[in-house]
Amino acid sequence: MLDAAFDALTQQLTDADGGADLDQAREAFCARTGDFGLEDGFYEARTRALFDFWLCDWVGADGTRPPTRNRDPGLTEVAAACLRAERGLFRVVDAEPLQIEELVFGARVRLPSGLSERFRPGDVFDGRLLIVSGSIQVAPGALFHPPEAHEALDALLPDVRGLGLGRSEILDGLLRMRMRLHRFTSIRPRHLYRLDALLEPDINSAGWAKKAQSFSTGER
């Protein structure tokens, strides 16, 4: 239901301006989390995440946020919920009832049981929580950090918390690490999920990782 509402809201708002505002948001989204294209296996998931970013975080050139431009009374509640969405890095800790914990700043939330088909215990995802009809929902564009990266991610998080960075800086940096893991398939996650890579903007560069990998394997 929330997926359909996001699709309808996105369609309405892009029809209104020909997609100009979304195009600007995409440039910012890619600069912050890494560029992607049709050739990427997770293109659809990244597109969903872009829509989440646009509807929940983006401020247009005219100073307004996309949901405030909604003209469909049937989407009023969802549009308002987007304006209050909370982003975080979450781990699914229990299936019944479905519970998640926020890994960077700390919180535990119970979700509707209907989401159990979408999320499994142990999943770690970057996502946004919204309250719709009195129920906490996860926005459609959740991006998952793969299981093979979880150990490296857990080791990284304690140091990240002490850097004094904002929520978006941390989460965007982790998503860039996720993109590098997709780009550099021969490099182990622990060499890509590194503190010194958190603020590195280029997802197509992993010089520090290659040096670390070379050192750990004794290569010259």
Side-chain angles (χ1 to χ4, degrees):
M1 182 177 180
L2 189 60
D3 289 25
F6 264 55
D7 288 345
L9 189 56
T10 298
Q11 187 66 57
Q12 177 208 154
L13 296 175
T14 53
D15 285 348
D17 71 349
D21 190 55
L22 178 58
D23 287 344
Q24 293 179 15
R26 189 189 194 284
E27 290 184 13
F29 178 76
C30 289
R32 291 168 58 165
T33 67
D35 201 359
F36 65 101
L38 287 169
E39 70 280 2
D40 289 306
F42 47 86
Y43 175 81
E44 183 177 348
R46 291 276 295 174
T47 300
R48 282 283 186 184
L50 166 62
F51 292 159
D52 282 10
F53 167 73
W54 183 52
L55 293 175
C56 298
D57 298 350
W58 176 250
V59 179
D62 62 356
T64 67
R65 297 175 63 184
T68 65
R69 305 173 210 142
N70 171 53
R71 295 295 180 267
D72 184 342
L75 297 173
T76 298
E77 183 180 21
V78 170
C82 288
L83 298 174
R84 301 189 297 270
E86 291 288 341
R87 184 184 176 195
L89 180 70
F90 302 99
R91 173 180 281 126
V92 180
V93 293
D94 288 305
E96 290 297 337
L98 187 62
Q99 295 187 55
I100 60 175
E101 63 177 345
E102 208 287 321
L103 298 179
V104 180
F105 298 97
R108 183 169 286 210
V109 179
R110 180 178 295 185
L111 299 175
S113 57
L115 294 176
S116 58
E117 294 182 359
R118 184 179 172 194
F119 301 101
R120 299 178 180 179
D123 283 348
V124 176
F125 65 93
D126 180 311
R128 291 168 177 80
L129 303 184
L130 304 83
I131 298 178
V132 181
S133 299
S135 177
I136 298 176
Q137 302 283 339
V138 182
L143 288 174
F144 292 81
H145 289 270
E148 62 268 27
H150 290 181
E151 182 178 355
L153 185 58
D154 288 340
L156 175 65
L157 288 177
D159 293 328
V160 167
R161 296 186 189 102
L163 293 178
L165 298 175
R167 183 183 301 262
S168 293
E169 287 180 294
I170 294 173
L171 297 178
D172 290 345
L174 295 176
L175 286 184
R176 291 194 297 274
M177 295 178 191
R178 171 67 184 93
M179 289 291 284
R180 292 186 195 106
L181 187 63
H182 173 72
R183 294 283 190 271
F184 299 95
T185 56
S186 64
I187 301 180
R188 295 179 181 179
R190 64 188 176 91
H191 295 312
L192 294 171
Y193 281 73
R194 293 167 53 95
L195 195 66
D196 55 352
L198 188 65
L199 298 180
E200 168 57 51
D202 185 2
I203 64 166
N204 294 309
S205 174
W208 73 90
K210 292 178 180 178
K211 290 178 182 178
Q213 184 185 42
S214 175
F215 179 80
S216 67
T217 59
E219 297 175 0
R220 294 293 185 268

